[in-house]
Amino acid sequence: MCDTFILLKYIRDNNIKKITVNLDIDIEVDDEDNKDHDIAPHKDNYYSMLCFKDLRMFAPHVVTEIYLSKKIENPRYIDALKYTTNMFCKNKEMYKYYSQLKTAASVSSEHIGQHFPNLFYIKFHKRGTTGDAIDAPIFIKDKYDKGITFGTFDLFHYGHNNILSRCKNFCNYLYIGLSSDELNERKGKISIDKYEKRKEVIEKVCYGDEIFKEESLELKNDYVLQTGAEILMMGDDWLGEFDWISCDVLYMERTPNISTTLLKTIRKIMPS
Ligand code: C2G
């Protein structure tokens, strides 16, 4: 398979389907009965993208995921970004590129109200990062079975809530590695809320199926192996940091304008 393609995941007849749009040549569809329908292969790139738009018109909001193997340079393809919910990038450089594009779009009056998909960088374990990787059925059929995430979750806020709920969306069973007070001290980030209090709060939000103590950053891979997690999920402040871990790793956008640091500052200025 060519290394330059877009993968779309969409829903039709209550079933999740996928289309691979090869940017250079044609379109491949994952099932026989769709082949001669509205997404038949075209030689021309432009028509390939038209097919994508047609699909969106037939059933709005059904194109849920797009996976890019290559940065889109052609403005005609950039249009495709308007028609999807989640966009997965193949490497962190591509992620940074689209992240900047998104930030620029959000502040430019020209782009007010313009939709831009949620961005992700996914590092596939073992499957490499070439075009073949996307043929693995991970995002296509189901959620991952077991997922894992880590954090301090001090002064729990809606940014934490967001990431945990999104992590839970990607897996059936979510492990949360909650950093120990000793680990925080070693990192020079003494938490206001101590371990038991932080754990209690996380239990209340109910996204995690199992919470355990993270004693060391270096043990991440051991935790992954012990739990059998197939995907590690983190915010993009950790972009690329855990690519070495032996499971798929997904980085997602942080919630803007909120952080524990900000809350600590507010507490200092306005002690209760
Ligand atoms: N986060 C977010 N949006 C925010 C703030 C945080 O999405 N506005 C995410 C972070 O990216 C992280 C998770 O919430 O994935 C937990 O953040 P922290 O509590 O700050 O924990 P952190 O110090 O990043 O993790 O092995 C990692 C360690 O346990 C520390």
Side-chain angles (χ1 to χ4, degrees), residues 149-154 157 159-160 163 177 179 183 187 189 214 217 220 234-238 242 253-256 258-260:
T149 190
F150 294 88
T152 309
F153 303 104
D154 188 21
H157 54 70
H160 293 141
I163 198 161
S179 56
L183 171 57
K187 285 196 307 185
K189 273 182 33 176
E214 182 190 20
L217 293 180
K220 243 186 204 69
M234 293 300 289
D236 64 4
D237 44 330
W238 293 96
F242 303 123
E253 294 160 285
R254 274 168 67 94
T255 304
I258 180 74
S259 67
T260 302

Side-chain angles (χ1 to χ4, degrees), residues 3-9 19-21 64-70 84 86-91 94 120-124 128-131 133-135 138-140:
D3 193 34
T4 314
F5 61 90
I6 297 179
L7 178 108
L8 307 172
K9 177 175 154 184
I19 319 172
T20 307
V21 181
T64 55
E65 286 173 12
I66 179 168
Y67 181 95
L68 294 181
S69 70
K70 197 181 167 194
T84 191
N86 293 332
M87 172 174 161
F88 296 89
C89 298
K90 179 183 166 179
N91 57 45
M94 198 194 295
F120 299 89
Y121 156 43
I122 182 152
K123 165 77 173 57
F124 293 110
T129 50
T130 62
I134 201 58
D135 273 353
I138 49 157
F139 278 105
I140 307 311

Side-chain angles (χ1 to χ4, degrees), residues 109-126:
S109 55
E110 201 188 318
H111 296 101
I112 278 184
Q114 184 178 313
H115 168 79
F116 205 104
N118 302 318
L119 278 180
F120 299 89
Y121 156 43
I122 182 152
K123 165 77 173 57
F124 293 110
H125 177 57
K126 284 194 182 153

